[in-house]
Amino acid sequence: MEIMEMEMENHQLRHRMVRTNGINMHIAEQGSGPLVLLIHGFPKLWFSWRHQIKDLAQHGYHVVAPDMRGYGDTDSPIDPASYTCHHLVGDLIGLLDELGHEREYGRAEKAFARYDCYTVMKKILSINKSDPLISPLGMEFIDFLEVPSALPTWLNEEELQYFTSKFQKTGFTVPLNYYRAMDLNWDLLAPWQGAKILVPTKYVVGDKDIGLEAFDTRAYITGSTFKSLVPNLEVEIIDGHHFIQDEKAQQVTAGILSFFGNQSIV
């Protein structure tokens, strides 16, 4: 039989069961090195990748081909609701965890890693440009930022050290994931497209904020579209840059208190 011939010819192929995301998943794996995860579709199995597994392994990769949830020797929940994209992705993330492979750090983290955490924080917190920050072709954003000779007036050394100590412990991946989830958020919020936010809202931004001139943000927040979606909206553009609650602390606090004073409290 073809399966027997393949396994005899490729005796290093290993089969095992992995517990992931509440199910038992069967995987076939071979080789060592960077991980290659081969995912089959309908109506296939791990066996669909039999030709690639051996060759990729011989080229220095750790090749893993699972039977996806509901296929082959992997558990098969009955409920159709158990086969959403969230379940399938969860299965694979759990598999990666079991295999001891983290999801690879992103481009930004690799660039940040060329500097110590103190320098990264000093560069970012000292941004004082009003134009959109676009690094030249071939240069990473963090490399484009200069190391300032002095801290901005609103930030002292002790405060910078506090920021640094916290990010030194947690790293930057999770905070950056907020931005990586933006497209997903757009999809998740699709059912509420055009819905209005009716609670009283105040939007405060510095007139030299790096994001104000990007993507027509200024025209949007001062135009009719923003106001139509947030009818009880107050927009205040004040003299300042991006970290406005630090740079103009008293003015921002006064604006918040004034906004509270204009609202009726039940």
Side-chain angles (χ1 to χ4, degrees), residues 210-240:
I210 55 175
L212 188 59
E213 303 302 333
F215 310 109
D216 292 325
T217 302
R218 181 189 288 270
Y220 178 78
I221 67 172
T222 58
S224 60
T225 303
F226 194 17
K227 183 71 173 177
S228 69
L229 294 172
V230 191
N232 298 311
L233 172 70
E234 178 185 344
V235 174
E236 184 177 8
I237 301 177
I238 65 177
D239 177 37

Side-chain angles (χ1 to χ4, degrees), residues 2-10 13 46-47 50:
E2 184 179 6
I3 298 178
M4 293 179 62
E5 290 174 356
M6 184 274 292
E7 291 187 343
M8 290 176 60
E9 173 183 299
N10 193 11
L13 185 70
W46 76 267
F47 188 62
R50 61 192 181 281

Side-chain angles (χ1 to χ4, degrees), residues 180-246:
R180 293 178 175 129
M182 288 177 71
D183 287 344
L184 175 59
N185 285 333
W186 185 269
D187 293 336
L188 294 174
L189 292 173
W192 293 276
Q193 178 73 17
K196 297 182 185 298
I197 298 173
L198 300 178
V199 295
T201 305
K202 182 165 186 173
Y203 184 93
V204 181
V205 64
D207 62 349
K208 302 176 188 66
D209 190 305
I210 55 175
L212 188 59
E213 303 302 333
F215 310 109
D216 292 325
T217 302
R218 181 189 288 270
Y220 178 78
I221 67 172
T222 58
S224 60
T225 303
F226 194 17
K227 183 71 173 177
S228 69
L229 294 172
V230 191
N232 298 311
L233 172 70
E234 178 185 344
V235 174
E236 184 177 8
I237 301 177
I238 65 177
D239 177 37
H241 298 83
H242 186 64
F243 303 107
I244 196 69
Q245 72 269 43
D246 293 302

Side-chain angles (χ1 to χ4, degrees), residues 153-197:
T153 56
W154 55 264
L155 181 69
N156 61 42
E157 182 65 27
E158 183 179 359
E159 292 166 336
L160 176 58
Q161 290 289 357
Y162 180 80
F163 282 114
T164 299
S165 67
K166 297 303 179 181
F167 283 95
Q168 184 73 50
K169 181 169 61 176
T170 64
F172 293 96
T173 294
V174 173
L176 288 170
N177 283 344
Y178 279 71
Y179 298 93
R180 293 178 175 129
M182 288 177 71
D183 287 344
L184 175 59
N185 285 333
W186 185 269
D187 293 336
L188 294 174
L189 292 173
W192 293 276
Q193 178 73 17
K196 297 182 185 298
I197 298 173

